Amino acid sequence: MSRALPGVAEVATLAGVSTATVDRVLNRRGGVRQATAQRVVQAAGELGYLPADGLAATLAPAPLRVMFLLPRNTSRFLTMLGDMVSYSQEHWAPFHVKCRAETVDSFNPEALAQALLHHGKRYDGLVMMALEHPQVREAVATLAERGVPVVTVISDLGNSQRVGYVGLDNRAAGRTAGYLIGRFIGARAAKVALVAGSLRYAAHQEREAGFLHVLEELFPQLTVVGLREGLDDSEKNYRQTRTLLERHPDLAGIYNIGGASDGIARALQECGMQHKVVFIGHGLTPDTRAQLIDGSMDAVITQNPLSTITSCVRIFANLRDGRSALSGVETTRSQVVFRENLP
């Protein structure tokens, strides 16, 4: 009498899992940790349930698909980040993750929420620069219920079900900017101004708060003459800076909380103030590098874009493999770049 061929139940027993799990692995339905899937594959091979030759390759889980949703037409740093997602796949191939980047309508919470829900049907994880808004928070909650994790980058989303945040301590970044401006200007009484991209970003709110706090604590002789939202638009930042200089010809410092520093630098240059007004901004890019070199900017607070993306990828790999989301994920470090220490 011939020996009966092993079935799903025997594979499940040898692998120490349920028959439903075996079915999911062998039919590549997903939702099984990689380590568990490997046990099932090994058991199936040992029992001869399927030919061992080429079995692991045939049943290897597909790479995790991760979508980065970044604001459209905003800072050059974010554009650079999106380009790096598309062109540096080899850096996270060891994590068995494939990434793609798309842009969404800048400063539009409804558009961001819709994009999250749309791509959440097709991708295993999403990364976004969060806008502080109930619609965005609700979209993240909906995705969490569906088992689709969301990571925030650059700007976080408070009181939400996102699984992790990768970015600077933005309050500390604002304090750093305030400290630099205060030290550059010195002990004299002077006026300084702030330009934000949009205060819909928690990052920009936190940078503003940190800046104001350190001025109050350490540099009470400095007066803030206004906060303007430039929406990370070069022309708008240019016009607002020209207006600032016309109203306050004795302006001594500008902190650009967001992007489009080139517009501010152009206004300073046209008014002959590029070496008189202390100018601090964010994000080391080709344009801010040029502004540091020509002296129109004094310092740039930045973070490594490749490390930022890799940390996001590691979070999704951790969740897939059953580890803590932040296992092995390093805290994002800020770097202050001057003309003399350009990398």
Side-chain angles (χ1 to χ4, degrees):
M1 186 177 196
S2 61
R3 180 176 177 270
L5 292 175
V8 170
E10 287 78 10
V11 174
T13 299
L14 182 59
V17 299
S18 68
T19 55
T21 298
V22 173
D23 178 72
R24 293 185 70 83
V25 172
L26 298 185
N27 291 288
R28 301 191 68 176
R29 295 195 176 95
V32 180
R33 292 190 306 173
Q34 188 172 9
T36 303
Q38 289 173 346
R39 289 208 315 273
V40 171
V41 168
Q42 184 177 356
E46 290 178 7
L47 291 171
Y49 182 76
L50 289 176
D53 185 28
L55 181 63
T58 302
L59 298 178
L64 280 177
R65 298 163 299 168
V66 174
M67 170 62 76
F68 282 70
L69 295 172
L70 300 172
R72 183 179 302 128
N73 299 326
T74 56
S75 77
R76 287 173 175 81
F77 183 82
L78 290 171
T79 300
M80 185 170 66
L81 192 72
D83 290 342
M84 198 167 286
V85 168
S86 300
Y87 300 134
S88 302
Q89 297 291 336
E90 70 277 6
H91 287 283
W92 31 90
F95 295 100
H96 205 47
V97 174
K98 286 189 175 181
C99 299
R100 184 181 171 191
E102 286 193 7
T103 58
V104 295
D105 190 7
S106 305
F107 315 114
N108 185 333
E110 182 177 0
L112 177 57
Q114 290 176 353
L116 286 167
L117 295 174
H118 171 73
H119 290 293
K121 298 175 182 177
R122 303 171 51 203
Y123 287 85
D124 302 304
L126 301 172
V127 179
M128 66 163 174
M129 182 171 171
L131 285 164
E132 275 286 352
H133 195 276
Q135 285 181 292
V136 177
R137 196 171 285 106
E138 185 64 21
V140 172
T142 298
L143 291 173
E145 290 177 2
R146 297 177 185 170
V148 180
V150 176
V151 171
T152 55
V153 66
I154 310 296
S155 188
D156 202 4
L157 183 64
N159 193 31
S160 71
Q161 296 185 48
R162 55 87 170 144
V163 297
Y165 164 66
V166 177
L168 299 179
D169 177 337
N170 285 296
R171 187 175 293 271
R175 289 183 64 87
T176 300
Y179 183 80
L180 289 170
I181 281 185
R183 294 292 291 174
F184 270 116
I185 292 174
R188 64 188 173 94
K191 298 176 182 177
V192 297
L194 297 91
V195 177
S198 172
L199 294 180
R200 285 188 173 182
Y201 287 122
H204 293 195
Q205 297 175 23
E206 292 162 3
R207 291 173 188 175
E208 177 200 4
F211 183 89
L212 295 176
H213 286 166
V214 83
L215 259 60
E216 181 180 354
E217 293 169 14
L218 301 178
F219 308 103
Q221 76 277 13
L222 298 182
T223 301
V224 177
V225 294
L227 171 64
R228 289 163 169 76
E229 288 185 286
L231 301 181
D232 288 344
D233 179 85
S234 180
E235 286 301 315
K236 190 164 186 176
N237 278 357
Y238 166 77
R239 292 192 301 270
Q240 292 194 350
T241 304
R242 287 298 301 255
T243 300
L244 272 170
L245 294 172
E246 290 167 5
R247 293 179 180 175
H248 306 282
D250 56 343
L251 189 70
I254 296 177
Y255 172 35
N256 183 22
I257 295 173
S261 288
D262 57 320
I264 298 172
R266 179 157 60 95
L268 291 172
Q269 290 164 353
E270 288 184 2
C271 296
M273 299 292 285
Q274 69 269 33
H275 299 300
K276 299 177 181 178
V277 175
V278 178
F279 179 22
I280 309 293
H282 280 268
L284 184 62
T285 62
D287 63 310
T288 55
R289 174 185 290 270
Q291 291 151 30
L292 285 171
I293 292 171
D294 68 25
S296 53
M297 285 191 82
D298 294 282
V300 171
I301 301 168
T302 194
Q303 63 191 78
N304 186 301
L306 183 58
S307 295
T308 298
I309 301 168
T310 303
S311 292
C312 293
V313 168
R314 187 181 291 275
I315 289 173
F316 293 115
N318 284 340
L319 293 172
R320 175 196 60 204
D321 298 339
R323 295 186 293 269
S324 169
L326 298 180
S327 177
V329 178
E330 295 184 358
T331 301
T332 302
R333 298 179 180 177
S334 65
Q335 181 182 8
V336 181
V337 182
F338 306 94
R339 182 174 66 176
E340 306 305 326
N341 72 335
L342 274 167

